[in-house]
Amino acid sequence: MPGPLHGFRIVDLTSMISGPLATMILADQGADVIKVENPDGGDHTRAANNRRNGFSASFLNNNRNKRSVALDLKNPAAREAMFRLLSTADVFVQNFRPGVAERMGLGENAVRAVAPAIVYVSISGFGDTGPYAQKPVYDPLIQAVSGLATIQAGSDTERPRLVRTIVPDKLTAYNAAQAITAALLWRERTGQGQHIRLSMLDAVIAFLWASDMGSQTFVGEQIPQQEAASFIDLIYETATGPISAAVQTNREWLALTRALEKPEWLDDARFKTPALRQRHINERLILTQEVLRTRSAEHWLERLTREGVPCAPVLTRTAMLTDPQVVANGIVEETQHKAAGRLRQARPAARFSATPTTIRQGGAALGEHTAEVLAELGYSGEQIEALGSQEHAA
């Protein structure tokens, strides 16, 4: 069976990560995603490093299961082809700075003139309005403005720190994919399209509120300076390598004292309740670390697991690939790309029982499907060849 979004067509005019990852999620789920790129280089990630046979890992990891069409949209004939393509689409996604799509002639009104019920998606950095709307934006800037960098530091008084992966870009992508699916569901019920506007700043602030903005929640209360409960991460050194372990409940605390053979901790007034253990978190974690340093990671993981303490090994990226839990669930797959060779990628995370997702093809070469898609739109071979010549001449 094809994926759950089989039969939906998405025209993707995005570049970099937030837009391409969003549309790849939908492509993995069966949508026909047509990536329209400038013939002069295409998506910026095509030029990224870490590459083989002309394909960068960044491009491949955000653009599988898509078809690539190269159109110079400054060309009237190419713009006409773009509008003909849009007339067949269910969704149009762009991540230009606010106002750029309109100046290109691809604003909502222009697109809706040929596709009245289309779901039109605008992804931006800071949003459509406000003093930052026209700023160029990259992930660190969103981490800075959203408060994420300060949260990562652990305290308002510490030097802010960046999360060492592009959380805003990727989080925006997952929000966009979910929103597009919701809009398609609404359209199936009502026949009406709509405009989805999503900024990276929106996505990150909403993400943070679920767990990190408790002191900002109650209006009218004085907002305290955020202080860290502890600067000690729940990563422990052992005699052979790091592990992670965490205890929350009384039951898990009892289990930890058994595993570490420290029954005397149960009589320590600092650790009698979960609230007290949180108040004295630094002392508790330091004591735990002192014990765990005495023996191997393998020893402690076996003991902690046997007693029911939540624990896991701390793995490098390479070691993760062969971890038995990862292998047992088939989370990482290998596929053959016709140019880039053997690839290793994470499979689509959501697993559908009736409409399974698949990696149907790797990231496409720039313009690889231009002739194929234009033929589907009714262009003759001569027209396709002429259009290509015009693009080249431009």
Side-chain angles (χ1 to χ4, degrees), residues 6-18:
H6 177 73
F8 289 98
R9 172 170 285 181
I10 298 169
V11 175
D12 176 7
L13 200 59
T14 68
S15 185
M16 300 300 284
I17 304 295
S18 61

Side-chain angles (χ1 to χ4, degrees), residues 35-324:
K35 185 178 181 71
V36 178
E37 303 180 73
N38 189 320
D40 185 19
D43 189 315
H44 299 297
T45 62
R46 287 186 180 276
N49 61 5
N50 193 359
R51 55 197 299 111
R52 185 165 66 189
N53 296 338
F55 283 87
S56 74
S58 179
F59 178 81
L60 292 170
N61 289 337
N62 292 282
N63 290 283
R64 69 185 177 214
N65 285 337
K66 304 178 188 180
R67 297 193 283 174
S68 173
V69 171
L71 292 174
D72 179 0
L73 295 177
K74 295 177 182 177
N75 241 315
R79 279 201 304 277
E80 169 58 33
M82 179 67 169
F83 278 110
R84 193 183 297 191
L85 176 60
L86 286 167
S87 72
T88 71
D90 301 287
V91 181
F92 173 58
V93 190
Q94 57 89 7
N95 66 345
F96 298 113
R97 223 176 294 178
V100 172
E102 285 74 15
R103 292 195 291 274
M104 293 174 65
L106 289 169
E108 181 184 7
N109 291 339
V111 171
R112 211 168 287 289
V114 299
I118 201 165
V119 174
Y120 188 106
V121 184
S122 300
I123 299 173
S124 64
F126 288 112
D128 289 347
T129 60
Y132 302 163
Q134 293 301 319
K135 281 179 173 283
V137 63
Y138 288 105
D139 194 277
L141 308 184
I142 301 298
Q143 292 200 38
V145 173
S146 67
L148 176 56
T150 299
I151 290 170
Q152 184 69 8
S155 168
D156 290 353
T157 60
E158 295 297 311
R159 186 180 189 278
R161 299 178 63 187
L162 294 178
V163 180
R164 303 301 293 181
T165 184
I166 53 172
V167 169
D169 275 288
K170 293 185 283 188
L171 186 63
T172 301
Y174 281 92
N175 270 271
Q178 189 279 326
I180 289 168
T181 308
L184 287 173
L185 178 60
W186 168 253
R187 199 187 73 160
E188 287 296 295
R189 290 179 171 176
T190 67
Q192 299 174 6
Q194 59 185 300
H195 193 157
I196 298 171
R197 294 175 176 87
L198 173 64
S199 77
M200 294 166 68
L201 187 61
D202 271 307
V204 175
I205 291 177
F207 172 73
L208 294 176
W209 224 277
S211 61
D212 303 292
M213 306 295 286
S215 59
Q216 286 72 34
T217 296
F218 298 109
V219 176
E221 297 291 327
Q222 184 176 359
I223 298 175
Q225 184 179 60
Q226 195 72 35
E227 296 179 358
S230 174
F231 286 107
I232 304 174
D233 289 329
L234 294 178
I235 302 292
Y236 297 103
E237 298 300 325
T238 73
T240 56
I243 66 171
S244 182
V247 296
Q248 296 286 340
T249 67
N250 282 323
R251 183 175 182 177
E252 291 165 353
W253 173 244
L254 290 170
L256 180 69
T257 63
R258 292 195 303 270
L260 303 189
E261 298 178 336
K262 290 292 180 179
E264 63 270 26
W265 290 356
L266 298 177
D267 298 321
D268 193 315
R270 297 172 296 176
F271 307 142
K272 286 289 188 180
T273 67
L276 286 169
R277 290 195 292 275
Q278 184 63 20
R279 185 180 306 167
H280 299 284
I281 185 172
N282 279 346
E283 299 99 306
R284 175 168 59 86
L285 297 183
I286 289 169
L287 287 172
T288 303
Q289 175 63 91
E290 288 174 354
V291 178
L292 290 174
R293 229 182 230 112
T294 62
R295 295 190 182 181
S296 70
E298 295 76 16
H299 170 84
W300 289 124
L301 288 170
E302 189 279 327
R303 284 193 63 88
L304 292 166
T305 299
R306 187 183 347 135
E307 295 293 349
V309 178
C311 62
V314 177
L315 304 175
T316 64
R317 282 171 278 198
T318 300
M320 174 272 293
L321 299 174
T322 54
D323 181 78

